[in-house]
Amino acid sequence: MMDFLSQCRAIVGDAGVLDAEADMAPFLTDWRGRFTGKALAVLRPGSVEQVAALVRACAEHRVALVPQGGNTGLVLGSVPDASGAQVVLSLARLNRVRQIDPVNRTMTVDAGCILQQIQEAAAAEGCLFPLSLAAEGSCTIGGNLSTNAGGTAVLRYGNTRELCLGLEVVTPQGEIWSGLRGLRKDNTGYDLRDLFIGAEGTLGIITGAVLKLYPQPKASITALAALPSPAHAQQLLVLMQDHCGASLTGFELMSRFCLDLVARQFPQLPKPFAEPYAQYVLLELSSSESEAHAVGLLEHAIGAALERGVIQDAVVASSVAQSAGLWQLREHIPLAQAKAGKNIKHDISLPVSRIADFIAATGPRLEAAFPGCQLVCFGHLGDGNLHYNVAPPAGISNEDFLVNQDKVNRVVHDSVVAFGGSISAEHGIGALKRDELAHYKSPVELNMMRAIKAALDPLGIMNPGKIL
Amino acid sequence: MMDFLSQCRAIVGDAGVLDAEADMAPFLTDWRGRFTGKALAVLRPGSVEQVAALVRACAEHRVALVPQGGNTGLVLGSVPDASGAQVVLSLARLNRVRQIDPVNRTMTVDAGCILQQIQEAAAAEGCLFPLSLAAEGSCTIGGNLSTNAGGTAVLRYGNTRELCLGLEVVTPQGEIWSGLRGLRKDNTGYDLRDLFIGAEGTLGIITGAVLKLYPQPKASITALAALPSPAHAQQLLVLMQDHCGASLTGFELMSRFCLDLVARQFPQLPKPFAEPYAQYVLLELSSSESEAHAVGLLEHAIGAALERGVIQDAVVASSVAQSAGLWQLREHIPLAQAKAGKNIKHDISLPVSRIADFIAATGPRLEAAFPGCQLVCFGHLGDGNLHYNVAPPAGISNEDFLVNQDKVNRVVHDSVVAFGGSISAEHGIGALKRDELAHYKSPVELNMMRAIKAALDPLGIMNPGKIL
């Protein structure tokens, strides 16, 4: 294989090809530390043309490649397999903001730009790039696009898919497709953009994108509502949207178990209510007008919810610090889980109208199969997206419980599918959920996906073993 | 070919197969009356299963089929060619609203539902289905999806693509793909939904869809602003969005020439200003709160625009009737054009920031090539979408001018592409713009489209001659 690596070095220089164990190590283990692969080399191109030349070299030598951004994915989509025959192609050096157009409200960026860097560059022009998620300090937009990442602003602004107008892609043949269009309307043939978005690098390598920007809201305000059940949370969502329309920018469900866990693991965080409630909803309202408008709108809607018995109590943040404190409760749930030990995670989505029924039906099924197991159920209820995690019964070790992972997945995912939901809401499929995908998707859908994969990547060199 | 038609009759009954000239006629001529094709038969299935069985018969006999909804398309996408060898497959009998879920804010419909029927069914549940366009009384949602239709609400709610969560599709093999998911987040493999949306029936037949619904706004208010130039209209858009955010639901540019044309052809319509201005923008604001809120927000923004010299004058409608009158001015432009005679139409889009430069550059190029030609330039400026139509010079007949169509197209489309725009914003490609697509798209992009077409429809029976 020296021929291949020599060719790569001729393209990107010696510094652009890492093949020493120590140099490659950070690129080979997934973010959750669950799997470490092997690689022939890690390639670090510095331009789109170098990406294209490297892909041509891979095609010539039939070397499979794994595109990688910030390597913060949760489904083993951006790490190589154990064979040692694959190369990692890191987009990290492609990290320029190419252009910002505040009148068109678009921004053209390299795929390797860190999400936070993009948010900050937009803000510097008085604009908002709304994508926001826990890994924003280290994930890249290329990874966000390739996994169609979600996050906390989807309710108002959509997933990454809805925030992208155009793409630049290196095809599996090593050609460059320049689809960097900044257009709100463009009906000229098949929607290749959306085919590459969410394809997890299996159809080509995203090297650049035109992103949508929005006006910065003038003010945001946060509240925490207490409710007796998930069914009440569904009602609250309808009520809030009817009252507030697009001003409702956040709607996060958290069970009592979640907030109790946070309180145990992070006792310094605020405790908004003196007594516990069964469920909580974190609400965020944003106004394009003023803080007074946001406060008035929120208080009016909360008043209506209290009056109709949809919520039992609520606290409205009266300062930026208080807003941040309420969001910290939400953001500390995954951290509190990690401190408490490993659990079996599910990133699922459902029709919003079926969430309460799903929760009511699935808990007893898990309890019957795994008596005493503990449910950590929270998430972006406004998008129908739950993080439905199953922790060991008290007194059972993580190791003893995690052997049940496949069985737990089957119970949860069977229930998700029965309620019309999806087994991967915002994390993607990667290698982790590949078998689950094959289990649940219809043959018609799988066959169409395979036909597209074979048509665009006939050599099968683009991130093989992921998705399909 | 009797074998084939007998097979079709066995599937849908005699009444479902039209092959008499007179019966077929309404299905063979396009909406603008520019082309009349021939057909072996018109097939009218009454169920998804019948659609699938008909497609299997077509595949078996290698008969090409043209899916048709309301046949209101503008690019010859839904009429058969002149060979007489194709069949039209009408979706008109599949016209049930299958389900409305006001909590999930979704609606599941047959592809043959008329757009207005869908709007009304949503409104009856207190919800808004925002897609709105001139043909809404006769176009079908299947056609809207297959052409990714735009219309007047795109600024706030997006194109048809953004309003669809799931699809049911009959594949070119006559299988049924049940992708009727009502999920805001679903990252499980390739985005087949968006591949079929905008594919104009060349990859499969959309038979059903899950659509997004929104809360009904409590109030809408309309205004007409007068401006010295398109550049001022760009500035006004930025200002309005900064002030009003998502409450800005309409932003339509019209030149003086357009409104003069309307005034000549429809003298009974309102004349909002005593003196003429170079450009006009129709503004629409919607509020989820109240009419008072909408009025206050609009007046505040208009005040700011006047103060900064972005606009010269404005009238705000003070009643529903006055709002309707202002919208009529906009809606009567195409009708006034039709009364004044034929012209050469372009449905183009540009980055919003390039519209003024495009208009400034393109007019002189046309004037140089076709002295005295008249520009009817209006459209959805908020989406970067112009209807840029070229009418004959005074004293030149339509017939004499229309022979220049290809040359006019070349001047306009060359300019569009030079400014980073698209030659088809919201109407699609069909047969009409197929050669233009081949002329302007890069070989990389065309090759990917052809590979996908060949992979999904290897027999080439799905609406051949359209797009590719």
Coordinates of all heavy atoms in Angstrom, one line a residue, chain A residues 294-339:
Chain A
A294 N -41.9 40.0 24.6 CA -41.7 38.6 24.9 C -42.3 38.3 26.3 O -43.0 37.2 26.4 CB -40.2 38.3 24.9
V295 N -42.0 39.1 27.3 CA -42.5 38.8 28.6 C -44.1 38.9 28.6 O -44.7 37.9 29.2 CB -42.0 39.9 29.6 CG1 -42.7 39.7 31.0 CG2 -40.5 39.7 29.8
G296 N -44.6 39.9 28.0 CA -46.1 40.0 27.9 C -46.7 38.8 27.3 O -47.7 38.2 27.8
L297 N -46.2 38.3 26.2 CA -46.7 37.2 25.4 C -46.6 35.9 26.3 O -47.6 35.1 26.3 CB -45.9 37.1 24.1 CG -46.4 36.2 23.0 CD1 -47.8 36.6 22.6 CD2 -45.4 36.3 21.8
L298 N -45.5 35.7 26.9 CA -45.2 34.5 27.7 C -46.2 34.5 28.9 O -46.8 33.5 29.2 CB -43.8 34.4 28.2 CG -43.4 33.2 29.0 CD1 -43.7 31.9 28.2 CD2 -41.9 33.3 29.4
E299 N -46.3 35.6 29.6 CA -47.1 35.6 30.8 C -48.6 35.4 30.4 O -49.3 34.8 31.1 CB -46.9 37.0 31.5 CG -45.5 37.0 32.2 CD -45.3 38.2 33.0 OE1 -46.0 39.2 32.9 OE2 -44.3 38.2 33.8
H300 N -49.0 36.0 29.3 CA -50.4 35.8 28.8 C -50.7 34.3 28.5 O -51.7 33.8 29.0 CB -50.6 36.7 27.6 CG -52.0 36.6 27.1 ND1 -52.4 36.0 25.9 CD2 -53.2 37.0 27.6 CE1 -53.7 36.1 25.7 NE2 -54.2 36.7 26.7
A301 N -49.7 33.7 27.9 CA -49.9 32.3 27.5 C -49.9 31.4 28.7 O -50.7 30.5 28.9 CB -48.9 31.8 26.5
I302 N -49.0 31.7 29.7 CA -48.9 30.9 30.9 C -50.2 31.1 31.7 O -50.7 30.1 32.3 CB -47.6 31.3 31.7 CG1 -46.4 30.6 31.0 CG2 -47.7 30.8 33.1 CD1 -45.1 30.9 31.6
G303 N -50.7 32.3 31.7 CA -51.9 32.6 32.4 C -53.0 31.7 31.9 O -53.8 31.1 32.6
A304 N -53.1 31.7 30.6 CA -54.2 30.8 29.9 C -54.0 29.4 30.3 O -55.0 28.6 30.5 CB -54.2 31.0 28.4
A305 N -52.7 28.9 30.3 CA -52.5 27.5 30.6 C -52.8 27.1 32.1 O -53.4 26.1 32.3 CB -51.0 27.2 30.3
L306 N -52.5 28.1 33.0 CA -52.9 27.8 34.4 C -54.4 27.8 34.5 O -55.0 26.9 35.2 CB -52.3 29.0 35.3 CG -50.8 28.9 35.6 CD1 -50.3 30.2 36.2 CD2 -50.6 27.7 36.6
E307 N -55.1 28.8 33.9 CA -56.5 28.9 34.0 C -57.2 27.6 33.5 O -58.2 27.2 34.1 CB -56.9 30.1 33.1 CG -58.3 30.6 33.4 CD -58.6 31.9 32.6 OE1 -57.8 32.9 32.8 OE2 -59.4 31.8 31.7
R308 N -56.7 27.1 32.4 CA -57.3 25.9 31.9 C -56.9 24.6 32.5 O -57.2 23.5 32.0 CB -57.0 25.8 30.3 CG -57.7 26.9 29.6 CD -57.5 26.8 28.1 NE -57.5 28.1 27.4 CZ -57.2 28.3 26.2 NH1 -56.8 27.3 25.4 NH2 -57.2 29.5 25.7
G309 N -56.0 24.7 33.5 CA -55.5 23.5 34.2 C -54.5 22.7 33.4 O -54.3 21.5 33.6
V310 N -53.9 23.3 32.4 CA -52.9 22.5 31.6 C -51.6 22.4 32.3 O -50.9 21.4 32.2 CB -52.7 23.2 30.2 CG1 -51.6 22.6 29.4 CG2 -54.0 23.3 29.4
I311 N -51.3 23.5 33.1 CA -50.1 23.4 33.9 C -50.5 23.7 35.4 O -51.6 24.2 35.7 CB -49.0 24.4 33.5 CG1 -49.5 25.8 33.6 CG2 -48.6 24.1 32.0 CD1 -48.4 26.9 33.3
Q312 N -49.6 23.2 36.3 CA -49.9 23.3 37.7 C -49.2 24.5 38.3 O -49.6 25.1 39.3 CB -49.5 22.1 38.5 CG -50.3 20.9 38.1 CD -49.6 19.6 38.5 OE1 -48.5 19.2 37.9 NE2 -50.2 18.8 39.4
D313 N -48.1 24.9 37.8 CA -47.3 26.0 38.3 C -46.3 26.4 37.2 O -46.0 25.6 36.3 CB -46.5 25.6 39.6 CG -46.1 26.8 40.4 OD1 -46.3 27.9 40.0 OD2 -45.6 26.6 41.5
A314 N -45.7 27.6 37.4 CA -44.7 28.0 36.4 C -43.8 29.1 37.1 O -44.2 29.8 37.9 CB -45.3 28.6 35.2
V315 N -42.5 29.1 36.7 CA -41.6 30.2 37.1 C -41.1 30.8 35.8 O -40.7 30.1 34.8 CB -40.4 29.8 37.9 CG1 -40.9 29.4 39.3 CG2 -39.7 28.6 37.3
V316 N -41.2 32.1 35.7 CA -40.6 32.8 34.5 C -39.3 33.5 34.9 O -39.3 34.2 36.0 CB -41.6 33.9 34.1 CG1 -41.1 34.7 32.9 CG2 -43.0 33.3 33.7
A317 N -38.3 33.3 34.2 CA -37.0 33.8 34.5 C -37.1 35.4 34.4 O -37.7 35.9 33.4 CB -35.9 33.3 33.5
S318 N -36.5 36.0 35.4 CA -36.6 37.5 35.4 C -35.3 38.1 35.0 O -35.1 39.3 35.1 CB -37.1 38.0 36.7 OG -36.2 37.6 37.7
S319 N -34.3 37.3 34.6 CA -33.0 37.9 34.2 C -32.4 36.8 33.2 O -32.8 35.7 33.2 CB -32.1 38.1 35.4 OG -31.8 36.8 36.0
V320 N -31.3 37.3 32.5 CA -30.6 36.5 31.7 C -30.0 35.3 32.5 O -29.9 34.1 32.1 CB -29.5 37.2 30.9 CG1 -28.6 36.3 30.2 CG2 -30.1 38.2 29.9
A321 N -29.5 35.6 33.7 CA -28.9 34.6 34.5 C -29.9 33.5 34.9 O -29.6 32.4 34.9 CB -28.3 35.3 35.8
Q322 N -31.1 34.0 35.2 CA -32.1 33.0 35.6 C -32.5 32.1 34.4 O -32.8 30.9 34.6 CB -33.4 33.7 36.2 CG -33.3 34.1 37.6 CD -34.6 34.5 38.2 OE1 -35.7 34.4 37.6 NE2 -34.5 35.1 39.4
S323 N -32.6 32.7 33.2 CA -32.9 32.0 32.0 C -31.8 30.9 31.8 O -32.1 29.7 31.6 CB -32.9 32.9 30.8 OG -34.1 33.4 30.6
A324 N -30.5 31.3 32.0 CA -29.4 30.4 31.8 C -29.5 29.3 32.9 O -29.2 28.1 32.6 CB -28.1 31.1 31.9
G325 N -29.9 29.6 34.1 CA -30.1 28.6 35.1 C -31.1 27.6 34.8 O -30.9 26.4 35.0
L326 N -32.2 28.0 34.2 CA -33.2 27.0 33.8 C -32.7 26.1 32.7 O -32.9 24.9 32.7 CB -34.5 27.7 33.4 CG -35.3 28.5 34.5 CD1 -36.5 29.2 33.9 CD2 -35.7 27.6 35.6
W327 N -32.0 26.7 31.7 CA -31.5 25.9 30.6 C -30.4 24.9 31.1 O -30.3 23.8 30.6 CB -30.9 26.8 29.5 CG -31.9 27.2 28.5 CD1 -32.5 28.4 28.3 CD2 -32.4 26.3 27.4 NE1 -33.3 28.3 27.2 CE2 -33.3 27.1 26.7 CE3 -32.2 25.0 27.1 CZ2 -34.0 26.5 25.6 CZ3 -32.9 24.5 26.0 CH2 -33.8 25.2 25.3
Q328 N -29.7 25.4 32.2 CA -28.7 24.4 32.8 C -29.3 23.2 33.3 O -28.7 22.1 33.2 CB -27.9 25.1 33.9 CG -26.8 26.0 33.3 CD -26.0 26.6 34.4 OE1 -26.4 26.8 35.5 NE2 -24.7 27.0 34.1
L329 N -30.5 23.3 33.9 CA -31.2 22.1 34.3 C -31.3 21.1 33.2 O -31.1 19.9 33.3 CB -32.6 22.4 34.9 CG -32.6 23.3 36.2 CD1 -34.0 23.6 36.6 CD2 -31.9 22.5 37.3
R330 N -31.8 21.6 32.1 CA -32.0 20.8 30.9 C -30.7 20.2 30.4 O -30.6 19.0 30.1 CB -32.7 21.6 29.8 CG -32.7 21.0 28.4 CD -33.5 19.7 28.3 NE -33.4 19.1 26.9 CZ -32.4 18.4 26.5 NH1 -31.4 18.0 27.3 NH2 -32.4 17.9 25.2
E331 N -29.7 21.1 30.3 CA -28.4 20.6 29.7 C -27.6 19.7 30.6 O -26.8 18.9 30.1 CB -27.6 21.9 29.4 CG -28.1 22.6 28.1 CD -27.7 24.1 28.1 OE1 -27.0 24.5 29.0 OE2 -28.1 24.8 27.1
H332 N -27.9 19.7 31.9 CA -27.2 18.9 32.8 C -27.8 17.5 32.9 O -27.2 16.6 33.6 CB -27.1 19.5 34.2 CG -25.9 20.5 34.3 ND1 -25.9 21.7 33.6 CD2 -24.7 20.5 34.9 CE1 -24.8 22.4 33.8 NE2 -24.1 21.6 34.6
I333 N -28.9 17.2 32.3 CA -29.5 15.9 32.4 C -28.5 14.8 31.8 O -28.2 13.8 32.5 CB -30.8 15.8 31.7 CG1 -31.8 16.7 32.4 CG2 -31.4 14.3 31.7 CD1 -33.2 16.8 31.6
P334 N -28.0 15.0 30.6 CA -27.0 14.0 30.1 C -25.7 13.9 30.9 O -25.2 12.8 31.1 CB -26.6 14.5 28.7 CG -27.7 15.5 28.3 CD -28.2 16.1 29.5
L335 N -25.3 15.0 31.5 CA -24.1 15.0 32.3 C -24.4 14.3 33.6 O -23.6 13.5 34.1 CB -23.7 16.5 32.6 CG -23.4 17.3 31.4 CD1 -23.1 18.8 31.8 CD2 -22.3 16.8 30.6
A336 N -25.6 14.5 34.2 CA -26.0 13.8 35.4 C -26.1 12.3 35.2 O -25.6 11.5 36.0 CB -27.3 14.4 36.0
Q337 N -26.6 12.0 34.0 CA -26.7 10.6 33.7 C -25.3 9.9 33.6 O -25.1 8.8 34.1 CB -27.3 10.4 32.3 CG -28.8 10.5 32.2 CD -29.3 10.2 30.8 OE1 -29.2 11.1 30.0 NE2 -29.8 9.0 30.6
A338 N -24.4 10.6 33.0 CA -23.0 10.1 32.8 C -22.4 9.9 34.2 O -21.7 8.9 34.4 CB -22.2 11.1 31.9
K339 N -22.6 10.9 35.1 CA -22.0 10.7 36.4 C -22.6 9.6 37.2 O -22.0 8.9 38.0 CB -22.2 12.0 37.3 CG -21.3 13.1 36.9 CD -21.4 14.4 37.8 CE -20.8 14.2 39.1 NZ -20.7 15.5 39.9

